[in-house]
Coordinates of all heavy atoms in Angstrom, one line a residue:
M1 N 0.8 -1.2 0.0 CA 0.0 0.0 0.0 C 0.8 1.3 0.0 O 0.5 2.2 -0.7 CB -0.9 0.0 1.2 CG -2.1 -0.8 1.1 SD -3.2 0.0 0.0 CE -4.7 -0.6 0.6
A2 N 1.9 1.3 0.7 CA 2.7 2.4 0.8 C 3.4 2.7 -0.5 O 3.6 3.9 -0.9 CB 3.8 2.3 1.9
S3 N 3.8 1.6 -1.2 CA 4.4 1.9 -2.5 C 3.4 2.4 -3.5 O 3.8 3.2 -4.4 CB 5.1 0.6 -3.0 OG 4.1 -0.4 -3.3
L4 N 2.2 2.0 -3.4 CA 1.1 2.5 -4.3 C 0.9 4.0 -4.1 O 0.8 4.8 -5.0 CB -0.2 1.8 -4.1 CG -1.3 2.1 -5.0 CD1 -0.9 1.7 -6.4 CD2 -2.5 1.3 -4.6
G5 N 1.0 4.5 -2.8 CA 0.8 5.9 -2.5 C 2.0 6.7 -3.1 O 1.8 7.9 -3.5
K6 N 3.2 6.2 -3.0 CA 4.4 6.9 -3.5 C 4.2 7.1 -5.1 O 4.6 8.1 -5.6 CB 5.7 6.2 -3.2 CG 6.1 6.4 -1.8 CD 7.4 5.7 -1.6 CE 7.9 5.9 -0.2 NZ 9.2 5.2 0.1
K7 N 3.7 6.1 -5.7 CA 3.6 6.1 -7.2 C 2.6 7.2 -7.5 O 2.8 8.0 -8.5 CB 3.1 4.8 -7.8 CG 4.2 3.8 -7.8 CD 3.7 2.5 -8.5 CE 4.8 1.5 -8.6 NZ 4.3 0.2 -9.1
R8 N 1.6 7.3 -6.7 CA 0.6 8.4 -7.0 C 1.1 9.8 -6.9 O 0.9 10.7 -7.6 CB -0.6 8.2 -6.1 CG -1.7 7.3 -6.6 CD -3.0 7.5 -5.8 NE -3.7 6.2 -6.0 CZ -4.4 5.7 -5.0 NH1 -4.5 6.3 -3.9 NH2 -5.1 4.6 -5.2
L9 N 2.0 10.0 -5.8 CA 2.6 11.3 -5.6 C 3.5 11.6 -6.7 O 3.6 12.7 -7.2 CB 3.3 11.3 -4.2 CG 2.4 11.4 -3.0 CD1 3.3 11.4 -1.8 CD2 1.6 12.6 -3.0
V10 N 4.3 10.7 -7.1 CA 5.3 10.9 -8.2 C 4.6 11.2 -9.5 O 4.9 12.1 -10.2 CB 6.3 9.8 -8.3 CG1 7.2 10.0 -9.5 CG2 7.1 9.7 -7.0
S11 N 3.7 10.3 -9.9 CA 3.1 10.4 -11.2 C 1.9 11.4 -11.2 O 1.7 12.0 -12.2 CB 2.5 9.1 -11.7 OG 1.5 8.7 -10.8
G12 N 1.3 11.7 -10.1 CA 0.2 12.6 -10.0 C 0.7 14.1 -9.9 O -0.1 15.0 -10.2
N13 N 1.9 14.3 -9.5 CA 2.5 15.6 -9.4 C 1.6 16.5 -8.5 O 1.2 17.6 -8.9 CB 2.6 16.2 -10.8 CG 3.9 16.9 -10.9 OD1 4.7 17.0 -10.0 ND2 4.1 17.4 -12.1
S14 N 1.3 16.0 -7.3 CA 0.3 16.7 -6.4 C 0.9 17.9 -5.7 O 0.2 18.5 -4.9 CB -0.2 15.7 -5.4 OG 0.8 15.3 -4.5
S15 N 2.1 18.2 -6.0 CA 2.7 19.4 -5.3 C 2.3 20.7 -5.9 O 2.8 21.7 -5.5 CB 4.3 19.2 -5.3 OG 4.7 19.2 -6.6
G16 N 1.5 20.7 -6.9 CA 1.0 21.9 -7.5 C 1.8 22.3 -8.7 O 1.5 23.3 -9.3
E17 N 2.9 21.7 -9.0 CA 3.7 22.0 -10.1 C 3.1 21.5 -11.4 O 2.5 20.5 -11.4 CB 5.1 21.4 -10.0 CG 5.9 22.0 -8.8 CD 7.2 21.4 -8.7 OE1 7.7 20.7 -9.6 OE2 7.9 21.6 -7.7
E18 N 3.2 22.3 -12.4 CA 2.7 22.0 -13.7 C 3.8 21.4 -14.6 O 4.9 21.8 -14.6 CB 2.1 23.3 -14.4 CG 1.0 23.1 -15.2 CD 0.4 24.4 -15.7 OE1 1.0 25.4 -15.5 OE2 -0.6 24.4 -16.3
G19 N 3.4 20.4 -15.4 CA 4.4 19.8 -16.3 C 4.7 20.7 -17.5 O 4.0 21.6 -17.8
I20 N 5.8 20.4 -18.1 CA 6.2 21.2 -19.3 C 5.2 21.1 -20.4 O 4.9 22.1 -21.0 CB 7.6 20.8 -19.7 CG1 8.7 21.1 -18.7 CG2 8.0 21.4 -21.1 CD1 10.0 20.7 -19.0
V21 N 4.8 19.9 -20.7 CA 3.8 19.8 -21.8 C 2.5 20.5 -21.5 O 2.0 21.2 -22.4 CB 3.5 18.3 -22.0 CG1 2.4 18.1 -23.0 CG2 4.8 17.5 -22.4
A22 N 2.0 20.5 -20.3 CA 0.8 21.2 -19.9 C 1.0 22.7 -20.0 O 0.1 23.4 -20.5 CB 0.4 20.9 -18.5
R23 N 2.2 23.2 -19.6 CA 2.4 24.6 -19.7 C 2.5 25.1 -21.2 O 2.0 26.1 -21.6 CB 3.8 25.0 -19.0 CG 3.5 25.2 -17.5 CD 4.8 25.7 -16.9 NE 5.7 24.6 -16.7 CZ 7.0 24.7 -16.5 NH1 7.6 25.9 -16.4 NH2 7.7 23.6 -16.3
V24 N 3.2 24.3 -22.0 CA 3.4 24.6 -23.4 C 2.0 24.6 -24.1 O 1.6 25.5 -24.9 CB 4.4 23.7 -24.1 CG1 4.3 23.9 -25.6 CG2 5.8 24.0 -23.6
T25 N 1.2 23.6 -23.8 CA -0.1 23.4 -24.4 C -1.0 24.6 -24.0 O -1.7 25.2 -24.8 CB -0.8 22.1 -23.9 OG1 0.1 21.0 -24.3 CG2 -2.1 21.9 -24.6
R26 N -0.9 25.0 -22.7 CA -1.8 26.1 -22.3 C -1.3 27.4 -22.9 O -2.1 28.2 -23.3 CB -1.7 26.2 -20.7 CG -2.6 27.3 -20.2 CD -2.7 27.4 -18.7 NE -1.5 27.1 -18.0 CZ -0.5 28.0 -17.7 NH1 -0.7 29.2 -18.1 NH2 0.5 27.6 -17.0
T27 N 0.0 27.6 -23.0 CA 0.6 28.8 -23.6 C 0.2 28.9 -25.1 O -0.2 30.0 -25.6 CB 2.1 28.8 -23.5 OG1 2.4 28.7 -22.1 CG2 2.7 30.1 -24.0
V28 N 0.3 27.8 -25.8 CA -0.1 27.8 -27.2 C -1.5 28.0 -27.4 O -1.9 28.8 -28.3 CB 0.4 26.5 -27.9 CG1 -0.2 26.3 -29.3 CG2 1.9 26.4 -27.9
S29 N -2.4 27.4 -26.6 CA -3.8 27.6 -26.8 C -4.3 28.9 -26.3 O -5.3 29.4 -26.8 CB -4.7 26.5 -26.1 OG -4.1 25.9 -25.1
D30 N -3.6 29.6 -25.5 CA -4.0 31.0 -25.1 C -3.4 32.1 -26.0 O -3.6 33.2 -25.8 CB -3.5 31.2 -23.6 CG -4.3 30.4 -22.6 OD1 -5.4 29.9 -23.1 OD2 -3.9 30.2 -21.5
S31 N -2.6 31.7 -27.0 CA -1.9 32.7 -27.8 C -2.9 33.4 -28.7 O -4.0 32.9 -29.0 CB -0.8 32.1 -28.6 OG -1.3 31.3 -29.6
A32 N -2.5 34.6 -29.2 CA -3.4 35.4 -30.1 C -3.5 34.7 -31.4 O -4.6 34.8 -32.1 CB -2.8 36.8 -30.2
I33 N -2.4 34.1 -31.9 CA -2.5 33.4 -33.2 C -3.5 32.3 -33.2 O -4.3 32.2 -34.2 CB -1.1 32.9 -33.6 CG1 -0.1 34.0 -33.8 CG2 -1.2 32.0 -34.9 CD1 1.3 33.6 -34.0
V34 N -3.6 31.5 -32.2 CA -4.5 30.4 -32.1 C -5.9 30.9 -32.0 O -6.8 30.4 -32.7 CB -4.2 29.4 -30.9 CG1 -5.3 28.4 -30.7 CG2 -2.8 28.8 -31.2
S35 N -6.1 31.9 -31.2 CA -7.5 32.5 -31.1 C -7.9 33.1 -32.4 O -9.1 33.0 -32.8 CB -7.6 33.5 -29.9 OG -6.8 34.6 -30.2
T36 N -7.0 33.8 -33.1 CA -7.3 34.3 -34.4 C -7.7 33.2 -35.4 O -8.6 33.4 -36.2 CB -6.2 35.2 -34.9 OG1 -5.9 36.2 -34.0 CG2 -6.5 35.9 -36.3
A37 N -6.9 32.2 -35.4 CA -7.2 31.0 -36.3 C -8.5 30.4 -36.0 O -9.2 30.0 -36.9 CB -6.0 30.0 -36.2
K38 N -8.8 30.2 -34.7 CA -10.1 29.7 -34.4 C -11.3 30.6 -34.8 O -12.3 30.1 -35.4 CB -10.2 29.5 -32.8 CG -9.5 28.3 -32.3 CD -9.6 28.2 -30.8 CE -8.8 27.1 -30.2 NZ -9.0 27.0 -28.7
H39 N -11.1 31.9 -34.7 CA -12.1 32.8 -35.1 C -12.3 32.8 -36.6 O -13.4 32.8 -37.1 CB -11.7 34.2 -34.7 CG -12.8 35.3 -34.9 ND1 -14.0 35.3 -34.3 CD2 -12.8 36.3 -35.8 CE1 -14.7 36.3 -34.8 NE2 -14.0 36.9 -35.7
A40 N -11.1 32.7 -37.3 CA -11.2 32.6 -38.8 C -11.9 31.3 -39.3 O -12.7 31.3 -40.2 CB -9.8 32.7 -39.4
A41 N -11.6 30.2 -38.6 CA -12.2 28.9 -38.9 C -13.7 29.0 -38.7 O -14.5 28.4 -39.5 CB -11.6 27.8 -38.1
N42 N -14.1 29.6 -37.6 CA -15.5 29.7 -37.3 C -16.2 30.6 -38.3 O -17.3 30.3 -38.8 CB -15.8 30.3 -35.9 CG -15.5 29.3 -34.8 OD1 -15.6 28.1 -35.0 ND2 -15.2 29.8 -33.6
D43 N -15.6 31.7 -38.7 CA -16.2 32.5 -39.8 C -16.3 31.8 -41.1 O -17.3 31.9 -41.8 CB -15.3 33.8 -40.0 CG -15.5 34.8 -38.8 OD1 -16.4 34.6 -38.0 OD2 -14.6 35.7 -38.7
A44 N -15.2 31.0 -41.4 CA -15.3 30.3 -42.7 C -16.4 29.2 -42.7 O -17.1 29.0 -43.7 CB -13.9 29.6 -42.9
A45 N -16.5 28.6 -41.6 CA -17.6 27.6 -41.5 C -19.0 28.2 -41.6 O -19.9 27.7 -42.3 CB -17.5 26.8 -40.1
Y46 N -19.1 29.4 -41.0 CA -20.4 30.1 -41.1 C -20.7 30.5 -42.5 O -21.8 30.3 -43.0 CB -20.4 31.3 -40.2 CG -21.6 32.2 -40.3 CD1 -22.8 31.8 -39.7 CD2 -21.5 33.4 -41.0 CE1 -23.9 32.6 -39.8 CE2 -22.7 34.2 -41.1 CZ -23.8 33.8 -40.5 OH -25.0 34.6 -40.6
V47 N -19.7 31.0 -43.2 CA -19.9 31.5 -44.6 C -20.2 30.2 -45.5 O -21.0 30.3 -46.4 CB -18.6 32.2 -45.1 CG1 -18.7 32.4 -46.6 CG2 -18.5 33.6 -44.4
A48 N -19.5 29.1 -45.3 CA -19.7 27.9 -46.1 C -21.1 27.4 -45.9 O -21.8 27.0 -46.8 CB -18.7 26.9 -45.7
K49 N -21.6 27.4 -44.6 CA -23.0 27.0 -44.3 C -24.0 27.9 -45.0 O -24.9 27.4 -45.7 CB -23.2 27.0 -42.8 CG -24.5 26.5 -42.4 CD -24.7 26.5 -40.9 CE -26.0 26.0 -40.5 NZ -26.2 26.1 -39.0
R50 N -23.8 29.2 -45.0 CA -24.7 30.1 -45.6 C -24.7 30.0 -47.1 O -25.7 30.0 -47.8 CB -24.4 31.6 -45.3 CG -24.6 31.9 -43.8 CD -26.0 32.0 -43.4 NE -26.6 33.0 -44.3 CZ -27.6 33.8 -43.9 NH1 -28.1 33.7 -42.7 NH2 -28.1 34.7 -44.7
L51 N -23.5 29.7 -47.7 CA -23.3 29.6 -49.1 C -24.0 28.3 -49.6 O -24.7 28.3 -50.6 CB -21.9 29.5 -49.5 CG -21.5 29.4 -51.0 CD1 -22.0 30.6 -51.7 CD2 -20.0 29.2 -51.2
A52 N -23.9 27.2 -48.8 CA -24.5 26.0 -49.2 C -26.0 26.1 -49.1 O -26.8 25.6 -50.0 CB -24.1 24.8 -48.2
K53 N -26.5 26.8 -48.1 CA -28.0 27.0 -48.0 C -28.5 27.8 -49.2 O -29.5 27.5 -49.8 CB -28.3 27.7 -46.7 CG -29.8 27.8 -46.4 CD -30.1 28.6 -45.1 CE -30.0 27.6 -44.0 NZ -30.4 28.3 -42.7
S54 N -27.8 28.9 -49.5 CA -28.3 29.8 -50.6 C -28.1 29.1 -52.0 O -29.0 29.3 -52.9 CB -27.6 31.1 -50.6 OG -26.2 30.9 -50.9
T55 N -27.1 28.2 -52.1 CA -26.9 27.5 -53.4 C -28.0 26.5 -53.5 O -28.5 26.3 -54.6 CB -25.6 26.8 -53.4 OG1 -24.5 27.7 -53.2 CG2 -25.3 26.0 -54.6
G56 N -28.4 25.9 -52.5 CA -29.6 24.9 -52.5 C -30.9 25.6 -52.9 O -31.6 25.1 -53.7
K57 N -31.1 26.8 -52.4 CA -32.3 27.6 -52.7 C -32.2 27.9 -54.2 O -33.3 27.8 -54.9 CB -32.4 28.8 -51.9 CG -32.8 28.6 -50.5 CD -32.9 29.9 -49.7 CE -33.3 29.7 -48.3 NZ -33.3 30.9 -47.5
A58 N -31.1 28.4 -54.7 CA -31.0 28.7 -56.1 C -31.2 27.5 -57.0 O -31.8 27.6 -58.1 CB -29.6 29.3 -56.4
A59 N -30.7 26.4 -56.6 CA -30.8 25.1 -57.4 C -32.3 24.8 -57.4 O -32.8 24.3 -58.5 CB -30.0 24.0 -56.8
W60 N -33.0 24.9 -56.3 CA -34.5 24.6 -56.3 C -35.2 25.5 -57.2 O -36.1 25.1 -58.0 CB -35.0 24.8 -54.9 CG -36.5 24.6 -54.8 CD1 -37.3 25.7 -54.6 CD2 -37.2 23.4 -54.8 NE1 -38.6 25.2 -54.6 CE2 -38.6 23.8 -54.7 CE3 -36.9 22.1 -55.0 CZ2 -39.6 22.9 -54.7 CZ3 -37.9 21.2 -55.0 CH2 -39.2 21.6 -54.9
I61 N -34.9 26.8 -57.2 CA -35.6 27.8 -58.1 C -35.3 27.5 -59.5 O -36.2 27.5 -60.4 CB -35.2 29.2 -57.7 CG1 -35.7 29.6 -56.3 CG2 -35.6 30.2 -58.8 CD1 -35.2 30.9 -55.8
A62 N -34.1 27.2 -59.9 CA -33.7 26.9 -61.3 C -34.4 25.6 -61.7 O -34.9 25.5 -62.9 CB -32.2 26.7 -61.4
G63 N -34.4 24.6 -60.9 CA -35.1 23.3 -61.2 C -36.6 23.4 -61.5 O -37.1 22.9 -62.5
T64 N -37.2 24.1 -60.6 CA -38.7 24.3 -60.7 C -39.0 25.2 -61.9 O -40.0 24.9 -62.6 CB -39.3 24.8 -59.5 OG1 -38.7 26.0 -59.1 CG2 -39.3 23.8 -58.3
T65 N -38.2 26.2 -62.2 CA -38.4 27.0 -63.3 C -38.3 26.2 -64.6 O -39.1 26.4 -65.5 CB -37.5 28.2 -63.3 OG1 -37.7 29.0 -62.1 CG2 -37.7 29.1 -64.5
F66 N -37.3 25.4 -64.7 CA -37.0 24.5 -65.8 C -38.2 23.6 -66.0 O -38.7 23.5 -67.2 CB -35.8 23.7 -65.6 CG -35.4 22.8 -66.8 CD1 -34.9 23.3 -68.0 CD2 -35.7 21.5 -66.7 CE1 -34.6 22.5 -69.0 CE2 -35.4 20.6 -67.8 CZ -34.9 21.2 -68.9
L67 N -38.7 23.0 -65.0 CA -39.9 22.1 -65.1 C -41.1 22.8 -65.6 O -41.9 22.3 -66.4 CB -40.1 21.4 -63.8 CG -39.2 20.3 -63.4 CD1 -39.5 19.8 -62.0 CD2 -39.2 19.2 -64.4
I68 N -41.3 24.0 -65.1 CA -42.6 24.7 -65.4 C -42.5 25.4 -66.8 O -43.5 25.4 -67.5 CB -42.9 25.8 -64.4 CG1 -43.2 25.1 -63.1 CG2 -44.0 26.7 -64.8 CD1 -43.4 26.0 -61.9
L69 N -41.4 25.9 -67.2 CA -41.3 26.7 -68.5 C -40.7 25.9 -69.6 O -41.2 26.0 -70.7 CB -40.5 27.9 -68.2 CG -41.1 28.9 -67.2 CD1 -40.1 30.1 -67.1 CD2 -42.5 29.4 -67.7
V70 N -39.7 25.2 -69.4 CA -38.9 24.6 -70.5 C -39.4 23.2 -70.9 O -39.5 22.9 -72.1 CB -37.4 24.5 -70.2 CG1 -36.6 23.9 -71.3 CG2 -36.9 25.9 -69.9
V71 N -39.8 22.4 -70.0 CA -40.3 21.0 -70.4 C -41.5 21.1 -71.2 O -41.6 20.4 -72.3 CB -40.5 20.2 -69.1 CG1 -41.1 18.9 -69.4 CG2 -39.1 19.9 -68.5
P72 N -42.5 21.9 -70.9 CA -43.7 21.9 -71.8 C -43.3 22.5 -73.2 O -43.9 22.0 -74.2 CB -44.7 22.9 -71.1 CG -44.3 22.8 -69.7 CD -42.8 22.6 -69.7
L73 N -42.4 23.4 -73.3 CA -41.9 23.9 -74.6 C -41.3 22.8 -75.4 O -41.6 22.6 -76.6 CB -41.0 25.0 -74.4 CG -40.3 25.6 -75.6 CD1 -41.4 26.3 -76.5 CD2 -39.2 26.6 -75.3
I74 N -40.5 22.0 -74.8 CA -39.8 20.8 -75.5 C -40.9 19.8 -76.0 O -40.8 19.3 -77.1 CB -38.8 20.2 -74.6 CG1 -37.6 21.1 -74.3 CG2 -38.3 18.9 -75.1 CD1 -36.6 20.7 -73.3
I75 N -41.8 19.6 -75.1 CA -42.9 18.6 -75.5 C -43.7 19.1 -76.7 O -44.0 18.4 -77.6 CB -43.8 18.3 -74.3 CG1 -43.1 17.5 -73.2 CG2 -45.1 17.6 -74.7 CD1 -43.8 17.4 -71.9
E76 N -44.0 20.4 -76.7 CA -44.8 21.0 -77.8 C -44.0 21.0 -79.1 O -44.5 20.8 -80.1 CB -45.2 22.4 -77.4 CG -46.1 23.1 -78.4 CD -47.4 22.3 -78.6 OE1 -47.9 21.7 -77.7 OE2 -47.9 22.3 -79.8
M77 N -42.7 21.3 -79.0 CA -41.8 21.3 -80.2 C -41.7 19.9 -80.8 O -41.8 19.7 -82.0 CB -40.5 21.9 -79.9 CG -40.4 23.3 -79.6 SD -38.9 24.0 -79.0 CE -37.8 23.5 -80.3
D78 N -41.6 18.9 -79.9 CA -41.6 17.5 -80.4 C -42.9 17.1 -81.0 O -42.9 16.5 -82.1 CB -41.3 16.6 -79.2 CG -41.1 15.2 -79.6 OD1 -40.4 14.9 -80.7 OD2 -41.7 14.3 -79.0
R79 N -44.0 17.5 -80.4 CA -45.3 17.2 -81.0 C -45.5 17.9 -82.4 O -46.0 17.3 -83.3 CB -46.4 17.7 -80.0 CG -47.8 17.3 -80.4 CD -48.8 17.8 -79.4 NE -48.6 17.1 -78.1 CZ -49.0 17.6 -76.9 NH1 -49.7 18.7 -76.9 NH2 -48.7 16.9 -75.8
E80 N -45.0 19.1 -82.5 CA -45.1 19.9 -83.8 C -44.3 19.2 -84.8 O -44.7 19.0 -86.0 CB -44.6 21.3 -83.6 CG -44.8 22.2 -84.8 CD -46.2 22.5 -85.2 OE1 -47.1 22.5 -84.2 OE2 -46.5 22.6 -86.4
Q81 N -43.1 18.7 -84.5 CA -42.2 18.0 -85.4 C -42.9 16.7 -85.9 O -42.8 16.3 -87.1 CB -40.9 17.7 -84.7 CG -39.9 16.9 -85.6 CD -39.4 17.7 -86.8 OE1 -39.4 18.9 -86.8 NE2 -39.1 17.0 -87.9
Q82 N -43.5 15.9 -85.0 CA -44.2 14.7 -85.3 C -45.4 15.0 -86.3 O -45.6 14.2 -87.2 CB -44.7 14.0 -84.1 CG -43.6 13.3 -83.3 CD -44.2 12.7 -82.0 OE1 -45.4 12.8 -81.7 NE2 -43.3 12.0 -81.3
I83 N -46.1 16.0 -86.0 CA -47.3 16.4 -86.9 C -46.7 16.8 -88.3 O -47.3 16.3 -89.3 CB -48.1 17.5 -86.3 CG1 -48.8 17.1 -85.1 CG2 -49.1 18.1 -87.3 CD1 -49.5 18.1 -84.3
S84 N -45.6 17.5 -88.4 CA -45.1 17.9 -89.6 C -44.6 16.7 -90.4 O -44.8 16.6 -91.6 CB -43.9 18.8 -89.4 OG -43.2 19.1 -90.6
E85 N -44.0 15.7 -89.7 CA -43.5 14.5 -90.4 C -44.7 13.7 -90.9 O -44.7 13.1 -92.0 CB -42.6 13.7 -89.5 CG -41.3 14.3 -89.2 CD -40.5 13.5 -88.2 OE1 -41.0 12.5 -87.6 OE2 -39.3 13.9 -87.9
L86 N -45.8 13.6 -90.1 CA -47.0 12.9 -90.5 C -47.6 13.5 -91.7 O -48.0 12.7 -92.6 CB -47.9 12.8 -89.3 CG -49.2 12.0 -89.5 CD1 -48.9 10.6 -89.7 CD2 -50.2 12.2 -88.4
E87 N -47.7 14.8 -91.8 CA -48.3 15.4 -92.9 C -47.5 15.2 -94.2 O -48.0 14.9 -95.3 CB -48.4 16.9 -92.7 CG -49.5 17.3 -91.7 CD -49.6 18.8 -91.4 OE1 -48.6 19.5 -91.9 OE2 -50.5 19.2 -90.8
L88 N -46.2 15.2 -94.1 CA -45.3 15.0 -95.2 C -45.4 13.5 -95.7 O -45.5 13.2 -96.9 CB -43.8 15.2 -94.8 CG -42.8 15.1 -95.9 CD1 -43.1 16.2 -97.0 CD2 -41.4 15.3 -95.3
Q89 N -45.6 12.6 -94.7 CA -45.8 11.2 -95.1 C -47.1 11.0 -95.8 O -47.2 10.3 -96.8 CB -45.7 10.3 -93.9 CG -45.8 8.8 -94.1 CD -45.7 8.0 -92.8 OE1 -45.9 8.6 -91.8 NE2 -45.5 6.7 -93.0
Q90 N -48.2 11.6 -95.3 CA -49.5 11.5 -95.9 C -49.5 12.1 -97.3 O -50.1 11.6 -98.3 CB -50.5 12.2 -95.1 CG -50.9 11.4 -93.8 CD -51.9 12.1 -93.0 OE1 -52.2 13.3 -93.2 NE2 -52.4 11.4 -92.0
Q91 N -48.8 13.2 -97.6 CA -48.7 13.8 -98.9 C -48.0 12.9 -99.9 O -48.4 12.7 -101.0 CB -48.0 15.2 -98.8 CG -48.8 16.3 -98.3 CD -48.0 17.6 -98.3 OE1 -46.8 17.6 -98.6 NE2 -48.6 18.7 -97.9
S92 N -47.0 12.2 -99.4 CA -46.2 11.3 -100.3 C -47.1 10.1 -100.6 O -47.0 9.5 -101.7 CB -44.9 10.9 -99.7 OG -45.1 10.1 -98.6
L93 N -47.9 9.6 -99.7 CA -48.8 8.5 -99.9 C -49.9 8.8 -100.9 O -50.3 8.0 -101.7 CB -49.3 7.9 -98.6 CG -48.4 7.2 -97.7 CD1 -49.0 6.8 -96.4 CD2 -47.8 6.0 -98.4
L94 N -50.4 10.0 -100.8 CA -51.5 10.4 -101.7 C -51.1 10.8 -103.1 O -51.9 11.0 -104.0 CB -52.3 11.6 -101.0 CG -53.0 11.2 -99.7 CD1 -53.6 12.5 -99.2 CD2 -54.1 10.2 -100.0
G95 N -49.8 10.9 -103.3 CA -49.3 11.2 -104.6 C -49.1 12.6 -104.9 O -48.9 13.0 -106.0
A96 N -49.3 13.5 -103.9 CA -49.1 14.9 -104.2 C -47.6 15.2 -104.3 O -46.7 14.5 -103.8 CB -49.6 15.7 -103.0
P97 N -47.2 16.1 -105.2 CA -45.8 16.4 -105.3 C -45.2 16.9 -104.0 O -45.9 17.6 -103.2 CB -45.8 17.5 -106.4 CG -47.1 18.1 -106.4 CD -48.0 17.0 -105.9
P98 N -44.0 16.6 -103.7 CA -43.4 17.1 -102.4 C -43.3 18.6 -102.4 O -43.1 19.2 -103.5 CB -42.0 16.4 -102.4 CG -41.7 16.0 -103.8 CD -43.1 15.8 -104.5
A99 N -43.4 19.1 -101.2 CA -43.4 20.6 -101.1 C -41.9 21.0 -101.4 O -41.0 20.3 -101.0 CB -43.8 21.0 -99.7
P100 N -41.7 22.1 -102.0 CA -40.4 22.6 -102.3 C -39.7 23.0 -101.0 O -40.3 23.5 -100.1 CB -40.6 23.8 -103.2 CG -42.0 24.3 -103.0 CD -42.8 23.0 -102.6
I101 N -38.4 22.7 -101.0 CA -37.6 23.1 -99.8 C -37.0 24.4 -99.9 O -36.4 24.7 -100.9 CB -36.5 22.0 -99.5 CG1 -37.2 20.6 -99.3 CG2 -35.7 22.4 -98.4 CD1 -36.1 19.5 -99.3
N102 N -37.3 25.3 -99.1 CA -36.8 26.7 -99.1 C -35.4 26.7 -98.5 O -35.2 26.2 -97.5 CB -37.7 27.7 -98.4 CG -39.1 27.8 -99.0 OD1 -39.2 27.6 -100.2 ND2 -40.1 28.1 -98.2
K103 N -34.5 27.3 -99.3 CA -33.1 27.4 -98.8 C -32.8 28.7 -98.2 O -33.2 29.8 -98.6 CB -32.1 27.1 -99.9 CG -32.2 25.6 -100.3 CD -31.1 25.3 -101.3 CE -31.2 23.9 -101.7 NZ -30.2 23.5 -102.6

């Protein structure tokens, strides 16, 4: 038991003295450079979060606009092309001369 108590005193450093590693760590973490870097990292994270949020909103707006305005236009253009091809095919079957192609 007595030897166990001595080990605690030696390894525990109960005399109030601070170890070199603890002092260096505390000195480095209390320095102005580290606090400035932490502040800059927090600001960068905040800006990145806001940018991601606004980019998501912009993507949503662009996607819904495309669906509402462009997709019906594409469908109508395809339908018009099919009707034009059908009329040309019917004219050729009925024996009418082909329409002249304007250059």
Side-chain angles (χ1 to χ4, degrees):
M1 281 288 209
S3 64
L4 187 61
K6 282 184 181 180
K7 285 184 182 177
R8 274 196 202 141
L9 284 178
V10 171
S11 66
N13 225 357
S14 66
S15 62
E17 293 178 13
E18 212 175 8
I20 291 177
V21 174
R23 276 189 281 163
V24 169
T25 303
R26 183 174 38 84
T27 303
V28 168
S29 22
D30 290 343
S31 73
I33 294 172
V34 172
S35 66
T36 302
K38 285 181 182 179
H39 186 68
N42 284 337
D43 288 346
Y46 175 75
V47 168
K49 183 178 177 182
R50 296 286 301 213
L51 181 64
K53 187 183 275 190
S54 65
T55 302
K57 287 180 181 179
W60 172 258
I61 291 170
T64 53
T65 302
F66 180 78
L67 286 175
I68 291 171
L69 298 177
V70 178
V71 171
L73 177 66
I74 292 171
I75 291 171
E76 186 60 33
M77 289 173 59
D78 185 45
R79 188 177 296 159
E80 185 69 31
Q81 178 67 27
Q82 287 177 355
I83 290 172
S84 174
E85 289 174 359
L86 181 65
E87 287 175 353
L88 186 63
Q89 183 182 16
Q90 286 177 351
Q91 283 180 359
S92 67
L93 287 176
L94 293 175
I101 299 174
N102 295 331
K103 289 185 182 181

